[in-house]
Amino acid sequence: MHRIDIASDGKRVKKEQVLTYKELFYKDDTKSNRRVYVQGEPGSGKSTFAAKLVHDWCDENRPSTAAPNKNASFDDVLIIQNFQFIFFLSLGESRGQTEVTHMIKKQIIDTMYFEEKRDVMYTLLLKIIETEICLVIRDGLDEWVAPDGSNLAEPSMAGYPKDKCAVLTTSRPWKLADERIKNSQIDILVEIEGISDPYTFSERVLRCILDKSKDLKTTAMEIRSFIQKRRLTWLSTSPMLYTLVICTWVDTMEEEEHLNGSSLCALYTTFLESLCKNANDTPGFFNDLNPPHVKCFSRTSYLRPIIQNVDVISKAAFHILFSPEKEKSIVFNDQELSNYLTPSQQEFALKAGLISKRKTKRGLASYNSFIHKSMQEFLAAYHIAHNARLIDDVISGYLGCHSDAFRDISQVFIFLCGLNVSAANTLSGIINERHSKILDAHGFTYDTVERICHVFEHFAFQSIIGAGYREAVSNDQTGILPRLSHFYIVGNNLMGINNIWRENKSNALYLEIRVRDKTHRAIHSSATHSEPTSQVEFDLSSCLNLKYLILQGSGIHMQGNKYNRTT
């Protein structure tokens, strides 16, 4: 957890440090923190931390003959023994209740004692909170709802002396952004930021679910490699989603393609469904009468009942991402969000964890963002997939306003290839045409620094097209025809670029092949899609628009109007 101090002027100052129990509950040796707030995004581990705190406290209060606990969350667990009693409350189970004492009666006393003893135990509870040092844990403030007509932002602690009772409250940031929760009420605000050691975390999860015949450390290494390769390291901020990936990995270990061959769209659909279940866990299925907008939603179990919310949130993701003002494309204020989502739709997005709301440092306003940019990009691509006209109406103009915009929208394009390849083909054509004009304007008759820069830029575009092609194939899309007119082949991308070249021969304007290593594997390129051989062949007979051909390296052979490179 990381500490966010509340300064005397009301500002929240983040300090990068991991807290101990002593630092959590005590300002110094003489003064304690009586109002502790722990915030974190969905699945970050707030409830797990609260439960582990109770576990540590109970563990230290076991009989002295019991074996000591070697897995305590903190090294200074003796600090929490200063609390004579701890009361753990799930606020989501006490919606409509305002008094914490009544919540304790209903959640703890009424479930532990027969009816004839409950009044006696409630009287004892009132005496305990007046005389003993207690800790009340209120878990899930964002899940609590005040009764109609009440203006309370959080349950009342009436009757609890501040000098004897500490309160630890967990919540998502958007709830603590409520202006009714004043900074003066908060002694310390800490934030759970996820997993500090993903590899160790993977091992611990795998130890619980992995078949004994599988090697734990090897599997943990494979998962780490998968996470890094797919650029999913951001998942370490969400133990819930990280665990989801690990479990999915184990469940598909026996499949031929495994997760390495699965699509990004399928993976993000799983993330989306997992988050939306936080707000609505009513099951429902797409079928022939109610088909989904995109193929990867067809096997979901919880998206259909809330698909209208997903649609409007995706619309917001798209328009905010493609905002003319780049600084507002990731972080946006309440007014900007209200342009797309009603209050009830905002509440759904916040409860699902798709959107996060936080107070600014001054506490006078709040700002919003999606849980991660890649999720915003996936939702934006989903919106484009069933509103393809936006490519001409919005994206084309966006690309014209920003010279490097193709890099900004590269992940959107890759997602779109898996969701709607026809729309992706159109988008690739617009980007390709724009970059071809830039490259043609500079010519290729000599090596200048400027030319090299443009070649590097279009090589990056070619890599994006290749990634999109692979995503489309992974999603069983047909009619995969991304537009590419400039080809840069350096040996190690021969196999990846081959199919794209075959569909773009008539569009090709530039072909540059630089081979330095004879050992690269190659395939034979022809209309028959033959099996891999020891060579790759580019038939130039259909390249009627080819303007530039650069060949450099050994093992290159020209036969009539064909380029042939043998290994």
Side-chain angles (χ1 to χ4, degrees):
M1 292 189 299
H2 294 266
R3 178 173 183 159
I4 303 177
D5 279 339
I6 306 299
S8 57
D9 60 359
K11 295 182 179 180
R12 301 184 178 200
V13 184
K14 186 173 180 179
K15 293 184 177 180
E16 294 293 335
Q17 66 179 87
V18 179
L19 297 186
T20 62
Y21 277 138
K22 182 177 181 180
E23 291 168 323
L24 187 65
F25 290 108
Y26 292 91
K27 295 182 184 296
D28 51 48
D29 292 336
T30 60
K31 192 173 183 181
S32 60
N33 294 317
R34 292 301 181 183
R35 295 295 180 266
V36 178
Y37 288 80
V38 178
Q39 69 178 10
E41 298 298 344
S44 60
K46 302 181 297 295
S47 296
T48 300
F49 163 72
K52 193 67 170 73
L53 189 156
V54 175
H55 180 272
D56 288 347
W57 182 84
C58 293
D59 193 71
E60 289 300 315
N61 278 286
R62 293 181 305 171
S64 58
T65 56
N69 176 27
K70 297 181 180 180
N71 296 309
S73 299
F74 293 77
D75 293 332
D76 59 342
V77 291
L78 290 177
I79 291 294
I80 56 176
Q81 296 314 301
N82 292 331
F83 299 113
Q84 299 301 309
F85 293 88
I86 289 185
F87 302 99
F88 181 94
L89 297 172
S90 176
L91 295 185
E93 298 179 12
S94 295
R95 296 183 179 186
Q97 287 186 280
T98 60
E99 300 289 336
V100 166
T101 49
H102 295 163
M103 295 179 185
I104 294 176
K105 180 180 185 301
K106 184 175 181 180
Q107 288 193 35
I108 300 177
I109 294 176
D110 289 357
T111 58
M112 291 180 64
Y113 298 96
F114 292 114
E115 186 173 355
E116 56 269 20
K117 287 190 176 182
R118 290 173 184 170
D119 289 341
V120 175
M121 298 310 299
Y122 184 69
T123 301
L124 177 60
L125 168 67
L126 297 178
K127 183 177 181 180
I128 288 173
I129 62 178
E130 289 179 356
T131 59
E132 304 293 337
I133 298 176
C134 305
L135 171 64
V136 177
I137 298 176
R138 306 185 304 183
D139 184 42
L141 180 60
D142 52 285
E143 299 175 8
W144 177 75
V145 178
D148 293 339
S150 172
N151 192 42
L152 287 175
E154 54 187 329
S156 170
M157 295 299 300
Y160 289 81
K162 288 187 176 181
D163 61 333
K164 292 186 177 296
C165 180
V167 184
L168 185 149
T169 305
T170 70
S171 178
R172 298 185 194 176
W174 66 267
K175 184 65 176 181
L176 297 183
D178 192 320
E179 61 184 11
R180 292 172 298 174
I181 300 178
K182 307 298 183 183
N183 286 342
S184 58
Q185 299 173 227
I186 303 174
D187 290 331
I188 183 173
L189 171 64
V190 297
E191 180 161 8
I192 292 181
E193 294 194 333
I195 306 165
S196 59
D197 186 347
Y199 180 78
T200 301
F201 180 85
S202 296
E203 282 194 331
R204 289 178 177 175
V205 175
L206 288 170
R207 194 172 289 115
C208 299
I209 63 175
L210 194 63
D211 187 285
K212 292 183 179 179
S213 64
K214 304 294 189 302
D215 183 75
L216 186 146
K217 290 188 177 296
T218 300
T219 305
M221 288 291 291
E222 289 175 346
I223 290 173
R224 181 166 68 176
S225 177
F226 171 78
I227 293 288
Q228 292 173 344
K229 183 178 179 181
R230 291 300 185 92
R231 299 180 181 179
L232 297 173
T233 52
W234 65 272
L235 288 175
S236 63
T237 62
S238 175
M240 175 186 70
L241 295 180
Y242 209 99
T243 302
L244 180 63
V245 170
I246 296 171
C247 293
T248 305
W249 176 279
V250 172
D251 288 343
T252 61
M253 283 184 74
E254 305 304 326
E255 295 181 9
E256 183 178 350
E257 291 189 344
H258 194 30
L259 272 182
N260 280 316
S262 66
S263 73
L264 278 176
C265 289
L267 193 59
Y268 274 77
T269 297
T270 302
F271 293 161
L272 175 64
E273 184 173 32
S274 179
L275 290 169
C276 287
K277 282 174 64 178
N278 291 324
N280 188 322
D281 60 359
T282 303
F285 303 93
F286 292 105
N287 50 42
D288 293 340
L289 297 178
N290 295 281
H293 292 306
V294 293
K295 186 186 298 184
C296 62
F297 281 15
S298 60
R299 295 184 179 181
T300 60
S301 303
Y302 295 91
L303 290 185
R304 185 190 164 192
I306 45 87
I307 195 61
Q308 290 183 341
N309 282 323
V310 173
D311 287 347
V312 295
I313 294 169
S314 298
K315 180 179 180 180
F318 170 82
H319 286 286
I320 291 171
L321 187 65
F322 287 92
S323 170
E325 303 174 76
K326 275 193 172 185
E327 64 274 10
K328 295 182 179 180
S329 65
I330 305 299
V331 179
F332 41 94
N333 60 35
D334 292 339
Q335 182 179 5
E336 290 157 352
L337 186 60
S338 69
N339 290 327
Y340 310 104
L341 302 182
T342 65
S344 63
Q345 291 166 345
Q346 289 185 43
E347 183 180 4
F348 176 89
L350 292 167
K351 286 185 176 181
L354 292 170
I355 292 177
S356 176
K357 182 190 295 288
R358 297 169 184 268
K359 279 186 178 181
T360 60
K361 288 183 178 180
R362 295 187 179 277
L364 301 176
S366 60
Y367 64 87
N368 308 277
S369 62
F370 282 84
I371 184 174
H372 190 264
K373 185 183 178 183
S374 62
M375 180 58 75
Q376 183 181 0
E377 290 167 328
F378 175 69
L379 291 170
Y382 167 71
H383 184 64
I384 299 169
H386 58 95
N387 294 278
R389 59 176 177 76
L390 294 169
I391 295 174
D392 291 323
D393 294 350
V394 177
I395 301 178
S396 181
Y398 180 86
L399 291 170
C401 294
H402 308 288
S403 59
D404 61 344
F406 85 94
R407 297 178 185 273
D408 293 341
I409 69 168
S410 61
Q411 194 59 56
V412 174
F413 169 76
I414 294 169
F415 281 131
L416 188 60
C417 287
L419 299 173
N420 183 340
V421 74
S422 176
N425 291 339
T426 301
L427 180 55
S428 71
I430 293 174
I431 302 175
N432 181 71
E433 181 180 4
R434 192 174 304 279
H435 280 272
S436 295
K437 289 180 179 179
I438 294 174
L439 291 167
D440 287 346
H442 292 84
F444 299 94
T445 57
Y446 53 89
D447 284 334
T448 64
V449 173
E450 189 174 42
R451 171 195 170 277
I452 292 173
C453 290
H454 283 290
V455 167
F456 180 79
E457 181 174 311
H458 210 84
F459 186 84
F461 174 56
Q462 176 182 278
S463 298
I464 294 168
I465 292 293
Y469 189 96
R470 292 189 295 273
E471 183 66 19
V473 171
S474 295
N475 285 275
D476 298 321
Q477 296 281 352
T478 58
I480 311 172
L481 300 170
R483 182 64 65 88
L484 189 63
S485 58
H486 290 68
F487 291 82
Y488 305 88
I489 298 170
V490 293
N492 59 352
N493 66 346
L494 275 171
M495 298 183 71
I497 206 68
N498 184 262
N499 289 328
I500 299 173
W501 161 265
R502 185 168 50 241
E503 302 295 347
N504 280 276
K505 287 187 288 187
S506 61
N507 304 318
L509 299 175
Y510 181 88
L511 174 61
E512 180 173 342
I513 301 174
R514 297 179 183 271
V515 181
R516 294 186 177 90
D517 184 358
K518 289 186 178 183
T519 63
H520 289 302
R521 287 293 304 273
I523 60 173
H524 184 273
S525 177
S526 70
T528 59
H529 302 274
S530 61
E531 293 299 317
T533 67
S534 60
Q535 65 179 14
V536 63
E537 182 178 281
F538 287 87
D539 185 353
L540 305 183
S541 61
S542 301
C543 301
L544 303 179
N545 295 310
L546 191 64
K547 296 181 180 180
Y548 302 97
L549 176 62
I550 298 176
L551 305 176
Q552 180 179 343
S554 59
I556 297 176
H557 302 280
M558 293 292 295
Q559 297 178 350
N561 59 358
K562 293 183 178 180
Y563 152 75
N564 180 273
R565 180 230 163 178
T566 58
T567 57

